[in-house]
């Protein structure tokens, strides 16, 4: 459920940053996107932005950007780093400004009108992106700089930027014949629309097509007081006053699966969840998936790759789909036996209760909770009172302070796009400004599911000065209910630390060039985030932030011990359901053109049979709601979380082995090589500069109890 959109990539491969000359003479000056924001820290002017501003801003942004590109192409001087690469790197300011706001809000706070705008601008930006990447004269100039890069007196970073841009163009088809390029344009345009369609169908399935309405109080048996109150509040918003409503949003769904004693209702809500987009209704995603897969395979073939996975992974640390497959299967084989033995124990519990049935997928959470209680005597709900949102937030701020010396001051004078959003100024240890952090915590109808980190401005460099990052974290946490504050689950707690790790990456990023600042391979991206999760559960850290929301009492040692002891709990399941989804992702994207999938459900079943997935587990994401890969930028890349888990476990082990989880020297190296300068070289090179050796898989196996 953890998704990252940082750094935002507005237009295909091109991270577009600002240009220096920002002319506004002939433009509608009331459009807030046309000039630098006149706000504290230059955050977006949310109080002035209206839906009517988006389309004109995209159109004007594209026009200006095209002019800048034309100026580069028409330059009479011979191409060099300054007049071609740097000019390109700094172009497109208005387009970048509006893209940041629009795409972020379309994820976090959308509505019918925004979705209509997204459909309208998608073909415009897709065409614009192609007009750039398939511009032969622009490519000619970039190629000229590339061919001469070693003799031009450039520094290492400049050479890297030149190489990155050259490869981007190559990967977008700049070297192809015109006819092939035209085919690519059509495919890119179609794919962009299909991805929007996929997301919209999904949102409609979650928000409009399913709710579990309970009017018999007995059917609430097993659920906590907090979950019941929340369900009653949801009912008020769905026109079911006086009843209880559960939805497919995680804070509603998961507790129901974990605790509701009524097995039939558990099945009903879980079916609602895993059949999303697969109901043969207007929001069905099966044909959308088929079309996306077919077009991606075709695209890869045109670009000279065997399949789309090979095309994507070529840019990653893993290098080839074969390497990824082997990595996943090795871990799957380690995890499956653990899962099977957990299943045997859960079945025993069900049998002892007199349940005359074999466990099914909708029973897993429920009996896993019972097994957790039996084995570790830990009830998740015992933890919640100690995990008040504000306490968890302050805890992660303290961890960052101890590691890096930075501080977080709440600011209340910044424009925000919805109520309940918090903003913080982040400062270096010496008090100097580092950046701004937005935190948007709770579910609402216009917010996509899950959690992610993104930004409204990337760290960069302009006119000889550093540009400060504006980072945003969006989550769907348990909201306050009745007179209770927001009390998080353990999963939500680690999710907040996770997204905060992405946030630190965004805040610490340094670099003079947009193309490389903060730019890391997909299978490195989750290292900065996942590594932060390790601190959340350390006893020393828990004692810093886990305080009872009513009494202020520090979490008792007995609860900490239970949490520590149960850290291996259900890790087999977590690993297996995750790898199942990763394999499904790879299988789709290893299809070679013409990739015709006849039956999505049959394809999925075959992929799972091949690896030996047991029927009591379904993949973490099924095809028709696998947003990461069909509208979230993780195609052929869902594996990256686990790849990065090897790195994050190894990195944290480095701290642990030093005897100080806040070891300032190790933290300084991590900040420098893995967060600030990670765009300077290949991911593994940067990692080894930090670690001083190759990463080992052992710390991960140990952490998950799989060795
Ligand atoms: Zn993440």
């Amino acid at each position: 459920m953890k998704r990252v959109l940082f750094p935002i990539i507005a237009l295909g491969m091109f991270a577009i940053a600002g240009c220096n000359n920002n002319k506004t003479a002939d433009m509608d000056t009331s459009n807030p996107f046309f000039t630098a924001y006149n706000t504290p820290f230059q955050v977006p002017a949310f109080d002035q932005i209206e839906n009517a501003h988006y389309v004109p801003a995209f159109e004007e942004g594209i026009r200006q950007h095209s002019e800048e590109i034309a100026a580069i192409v028409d330059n009479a001087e011979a191409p060099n780093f300054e007049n071609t690469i740097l000019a390109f790197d700094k172009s497109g300011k208005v387009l970048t400004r509006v893209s940041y706001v629009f795409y972020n809000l379309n994820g976090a706070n959308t509505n019918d009108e925004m979705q209509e705008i997204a459909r309208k601008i998608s073909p415009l930006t897709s065409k614009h992106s192609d007009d750039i990447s398939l511009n032969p004269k622009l490519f000619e100039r970039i190629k000229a700089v590339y061919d001469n890069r070693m003799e031009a007196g450039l520094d290492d970073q400049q050479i890297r930027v030149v190489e990155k841009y050259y490869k981007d163009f190559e990967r977008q088809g700049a070297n192809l014949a015109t006819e092939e390029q035209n085919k690519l344009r059509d495919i890119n345009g179609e794919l962009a629309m299909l991805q929007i369609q996929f997301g919209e169908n999904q949102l409609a399935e979650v928000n409009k097509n399913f709710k579990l309405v309970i009017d018999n109080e007995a059917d609430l048996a097993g659920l906590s007081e907090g979950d019941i109150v929340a369900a009653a509040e949801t009912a008020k918003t769905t026109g079911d006053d006086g009843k209880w409503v559960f939805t497919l949003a995680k804070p509603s769904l998961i507790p129901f699966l974990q605790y509701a004693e009524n097995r039939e209702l558990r099945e009903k809500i879980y079916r609602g969840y895993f059949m999303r987009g697969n109901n043969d209704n207007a929001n069905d995603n099966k044909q959308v998936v088929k079309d996306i897969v077919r077009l991606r395979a075709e695209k890869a073939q045109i670009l000279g790759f065997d399949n789309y996975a090979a095309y994507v992974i070529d840019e990653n640390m893993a290098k080839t789909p074969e390497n990824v497959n082997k990595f996943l299967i090795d871990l799957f084989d380690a995890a499956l036996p653990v899962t099977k033995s957990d299943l045997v124990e859960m079945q025993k519990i069900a049998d002892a209760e007199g349940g005359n049935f074999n466990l099914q997928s909708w029973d897993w959470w429920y009996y896993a909770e019972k097994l957790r209680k039996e084995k570790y005597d830990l009830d998740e709900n015992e933890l919640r009172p100690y995990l008040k949102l504000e306490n968890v937030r302050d805890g992660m701020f303290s961890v960052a302070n101890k590691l890096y010396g930075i501080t977080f001051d709440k600011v209340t004078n910044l424009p925000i796009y919805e109520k309940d959003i918090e903003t913080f100024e982040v400062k270096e240890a010496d008090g100097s400004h580092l950046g701004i952090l937005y935190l948007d915590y709770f579910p609402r109808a216009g917010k996509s599911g899950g959690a992610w980190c993104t930004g409204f401005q990337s760290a960069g460099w302009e006119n000889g000065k550093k540009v400060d990052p504006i980072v945003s974290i969006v989550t769907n946490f348990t909201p306050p209910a009745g007179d209770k504050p927001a009390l998080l689950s353990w999963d939500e707690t680690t999710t907040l630390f996770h997204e905060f790790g992405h946030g630190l990456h965004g805040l610490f990023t340094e670099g003079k060039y947009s193309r490389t600042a903060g730019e890391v391979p997909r299978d490195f991206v989750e290292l900065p985030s996942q590594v932060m999760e390790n601190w959340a559960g350390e006893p020393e850290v828990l004692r810093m932030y886990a305080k009872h929301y009513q009494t202020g009492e520090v979490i008792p040692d007995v609860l900490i011990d239970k949490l520590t002891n149960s850290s291996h709990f259900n890790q087999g399941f977590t690993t297996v359901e995750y790898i199942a989804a990763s394999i499904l992702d790879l299988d789709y994207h290893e299809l070679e053109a013409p990739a015709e999938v006849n039956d999505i459900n049959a394809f999925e079943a075959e992929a799972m049979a091949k690896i030996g997935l047991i029927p009591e587990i379904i993949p973490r994401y099924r095809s028709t709601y696998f947003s990461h890969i069909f509208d979230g930028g993780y195609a052929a890349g869902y594996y990256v979380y686990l790849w990065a888990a090897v790195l994050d476990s190894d990195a944290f082990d480095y701290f642990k082995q030093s005897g100080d989880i806040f070891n300032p020297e190790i933290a300084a190296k991590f900040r420098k090589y893995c967060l600030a300068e990670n765009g300077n070289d290949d991911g593994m090179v940067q990692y080894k500069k930090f670690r001083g050796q190759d990463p080992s898989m052992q710390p991960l196996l140990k952490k998950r109890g799989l060795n």
Side-chain angles (χ1 to χ4, degrees):
M1 281 315 293
K2 289 149 191 171
R3 192 150 67 103
V4 59
L5 296 174
F6 196 94
I8 190 168
I9 298 169
L11 295 170
M13 290 296 295
F14 298 99
I16 293 170
C19 76
N20 303 337
N21 51 344
N22 189 25
K23 300 197 188 85
T24 57
D26 302 326
M27 293 183 300
D28 169 12
T29 47
S30 70
N31 191 316
F33 294 117
F34 288 169
T35 51
Y37 303 119
N38 185 22
T39 51
F41 308 108
Q42 297 217 334
V43 300
F46 292 117
D47 49 345
Q48 294 164 35
I49 294 169
E50 292 165 15
N51 284 344
H53 293 135
Y54 289 121
V55 174
F58 271 101
E59 287 170 346
E60 176 60 20
I62 288 172
R63 194 193 64 75
Q64 283 187 19
H65 195 210
S66 304
E67 258 181 33
E68 289 159 7
I69 302 293
I72 296 171
V73 168
D74 296 339
N75 194 328
E77 285 174 40
N80 59 34
F81 183 82
E82 295 279 324
N83 71 18
T84 301
I85 301 294
L86 189 62
F88 184 58
D89 193 66
K90 301 292 177 200
S91 65
K93 186 165 195 161
V94 169
L95 193 50
T96 305
R97 193 181 293 133
V98 64
S99 296
Y100 272 138
V101 171
F102 181 76
Y103 292 114
N104 277 318
L105 296 200
N106 198 34
N109 206 29
T110 195
N111 52 45
D112 290 346
E113 202 184 338
M114 295 272 289
Q115 292 183 351
E116 183 59 40
I117 295 169
R119 276 190 294 271
K120 190 164 178 190
I121 57 180
S122 169
L124 302 180
T125 52
S126 170
K127 177 179 181 299
H128 179 59
S129 180
D130 285 342
D131 283 345
I132 295 170
S133 59
L134 301 176
N135 180 325
K137 287 185 181 162
L138 180 62
F139 181 57
E140 208 175 286
R141 288 184 70 93
I142 288 173
K143 187 171 186 307
V145 181
Y146 174 81
D147 288 342
N148 188 43
R149 68 193 184 283
M150 295 306 181
E151 288 83 43
L154 303 177
D155 67 28
D156 285 354
Q157 281 317 297
Q158 290 169 328
I159 290 172
R160 186 168 165 82
V161 174
V162 173
E163 289 174 346
K164 283 279 175 193
Y165 275 127
Y166 178 78
K167 197 165 181 200
D168 288 347
F169 275 79
E170 202 180 32
R171 284 175 56 81
Q172 299 274 1
N175 269 328
L176 298 175
T178 313
E179 194 190 326
E180 302 279 80
Q181 289 187 341
N182 289 339
K183 261 197 238 168
L184 262 190
R185 275 177 196 269
D186 292 344
I187 290 174
N188 288 342
E190 275 186 75
L191 277 172
M193 293 308 281
L194 284 165
Q195 285 168 221
I196 290 175
Q197 187 64 50
F198 185 95
E200 286 183 7
N201 285 345
Q202 244 237 95
L203 201 60
E205 285 279 274
V206 173
N207 289 337
K208 295 178 187 160
N209 286 355
F210 185 92
K211 61 179 176 179
L212 178 65
V213 183
I214 291 180
D215 48 17
N216 178 2
E217 203 168 349
D219 289 334
L220 300 167
L223 292 164
S224 75
E225 182 65 36
D227 294 329
I228 292 170
V229 170
E233 300 217 344
T234 304
K236 286 182 201 157
T237 67
T238 58
D240 299 286
D241 259 44
K243 299 176 185 171
W244 298 270
V245 168
F246 292 85
T247 70
L248 302 181
K250 286 265 163 130
S252 186
L253 169 79
I254 297 293
F256 198 89
L257 289 174
Q258 284 175 317
Y259 301 109
E261 289 172 12
N262 187 323
R263 186 167 184 248
E264 260 171 51
L265 292 180
R266 287 204 312 269
E267 176 177 351
K268 194 172 173 191
I269 197 167
Y270 197 50
R271 278 191 185 280
Y273 179 75
F274 73 64
M275 289 304 289
R276 278 179 294 161
N278 195 5
N279 291 312
D280 299 319
N281 58 16
N283 305 313
D284 196 283
N285 263 334
K286 290 197 284 290
Q287 189 59 44
V288 181
V289 169
K290 287 183 198 177
D291 290 341
I292 291 176
V293 168
R294 176 176 49 79
L295 289 167
R296 282 177 179 164
E298 210 178 312
K299 178 173 175 169
Q301 189 189 45
I302 292 172
L303 290 166
F305 289 85
D306 288 346
N307 52 58
Y308 197 74
Y311 170 68
V312 170
I313 296 169
D314 187 48
E315 288 279 88
N316 291 355
M317 290 167 92
K319 301 295 179 208
T320 66
E322 292 71 34
N323 288 341
V324 175
N325 246 316
K326 183 179 180 322
F327 166 76
L328 290 173
I329 296 298
D330 283 353
L331 269 165
F332 188 84
D333 291 345
L336 192 62
V338 177
T339 311
K340 284 181 176 169
S341 73
D342 281 348
L343 182 62
V344 169
E345 291 194 61
M346 296 194 312
Q347 185 68 53
K348 273 187 204 153
I349 297 175
D351 293 347
E353 285 176 350
N356 190 18
F357 55 84
N358 288 327
L359 293 187
Q360 303 294 328
S361 57
W362 48 87
D363 296 313
W364 196 286
W365 279 263
Y366 185 74
Y367 286 99
E369 270 314 297
K370 296 209 165 192
L371 185 60
R372 188 207 310 256
K373 251 187 159 165
E374 188 182 287
K375 266 177 114 164
Y376 308 105
D377 191 27
L378 177 69
D379 175 353
E380 277 251 300
N381 283 323
E382 275 182 86
L383 285 172
R384 280 195 194 252
Y386 296 95
L387 301 175
K388 187 171 90 164
L389 173 65
E390 291 77 3
N391 291 345
V392 174
R393 176 201 67 198
D394 291 347
M396 73 186 189
F397 286 169
S398 298
V399 168
N401 176 265
K402 280 176 164 287
L403 287 168
Y404 307 114
I406 57 175
T407 58
F408 298 79
D409 294 342
K410 186 161 175 163
V411 279
T412 52
N413 63 337
L414 301 185
I416 51 178
Y417 55 87
E418 259 295 336
K419 64 180 169 61
D420 295 337
I421 292 168
E422 292 189 313
T423 53
F424 293 85
E425 184 188 3
V426 190
K427 291 179 183 164
E428 292 282 11
D430 65 5
S432 60
H433 179 78
L434 180 63
I436 295 290
L437 175 65
Y438 280 71
L439 294 172
D440 176 359
Y441 303 111
F442 305 120
R444 56 179 165 262
K447 197 191 262 194
S448 297
W452 62 95
C453 176
T454 174
F456 293 111
Q457 179 167 283
S458 299
W461 201 264
E462 213 177 292
N463 298 332
K465 270 197 228 150
K466 194 172 176 289
V467 175
D468 301 317
I470 301 169
V471 168
S472 169
I473 289 173
V474 184
T475 59
N476 279 280
F477 289 160
T478 308
D483 55 0
K484 267 193 191 156
L487 300 176
L488 303 189
S489 67
W490 182 242
D491 184 59
E492 289 171 332
T493 300
T494 54
T495 296
L496 191 56
F497 272 76
H498 175 106
E499 300 307 335
F500 183 60
H502 286 304
L504 290 175
H505 183 187
L507 288 163
F508 287 150
T509 289
E510 289 174 18
K512 293 195 171 168
Y513 308 107
S514 308
R515 181 61 189 87
T516 49
E519 167 73 21
V520 290
R522 278 268 179 237
D523 42 11
F524 187 99
V525 167
E526 300 299 332
L527 164 64
S529 51
Q530 291 179 175
V531 78
M532 289 306 293
E533 295 180 42
N534 291 285
W535 275 275
E538 280 293 307
E540 181 179 350
V541 178
L542 280 164
R543 285 187 201 101
M544 283 160 46
Y545 74 87
K547 293 176 183 161
H548 197 281
Y549 78 100
Q550 284 165 318
T551 62
E553 170 214 8
V554 174
I555 187 169
D557 283 351
V558 52
L559 255 186
I560 293 181
D561 288 346
K562 284 183 192 176
L563 188 64
T564 309
N565 293 338
S566 66
S567 67
H568 290 170
F569 168 72
N570 218 21
Q571 286 298 311
F573 170 84
T574 306
T575 308
V576 162
E577 68 153 8
Y578 172 88
I579 294 178
S582 306
I583 292 284
L584 184 60
D585 169 28
L586 269 192
D587 281 4
Y588 276 123
H589 294 113
E590 282 189 280
L591 291 175
E592 294 181 11
E596 305 288 352
V597 180
N598 288 325
D599 180 336
I600 292 294
N601 287 315
F603 184 88
E604 204 177 286
E606 201 181 309
M608 296 304 103
K610 183 188 69 183
I611 57 170
L613 183 68
I614 52 177
E616 293 82 0
I617 298 179
I618 63 171
R620 187 171 169 92
Y621 296 97
R622 296 189 63 201
S623 310
T624 53
Y625 54 90
F626 205 160
S627 249
H628 287 81
I629 68 167
F630 291 121
D631 77 327
Y634 277 77
Y638 190 60
Y639 78 94
V640 301
Y641 296 91
L642 196 57
W643 184 275
V646 172
L647 301 178
D648 90 63
S649 305
D650 184 66
F652 190 67
D653 195 54
Y654 190 18
F655 281 94
K656 284 281 254 196
Q657 297 303 330
S658 81
D660 176 6
I661 58 167
F662 298 112
N663 186 312
E665 280 163 37
I666 298 178
K669 279 199 286 182
F670 191 75
R671 174 173 175 171
K672 182 175 166 63
Y673 297 118
C674 294
L675 301 177
E677 299 175 359
N678 54 17
N680 287 15
D681 211 326
D682 284 353
M684 195 54 93
V685 174
Q686 288 299 115
Y687 186 79
K688 284 193 211 165
K689 283 185 201 166
F690 151 69
R691 188 67 176 91
Q693 62 188 52
D694 281 316
S696 157
M697 201 186 265
Q698 288 311 311
L700 176 72
L701 292 175
K702 194 172 157 220
K703 184 160 95 182
R704 296 194 177 190
L706 305 177
N707 53 351

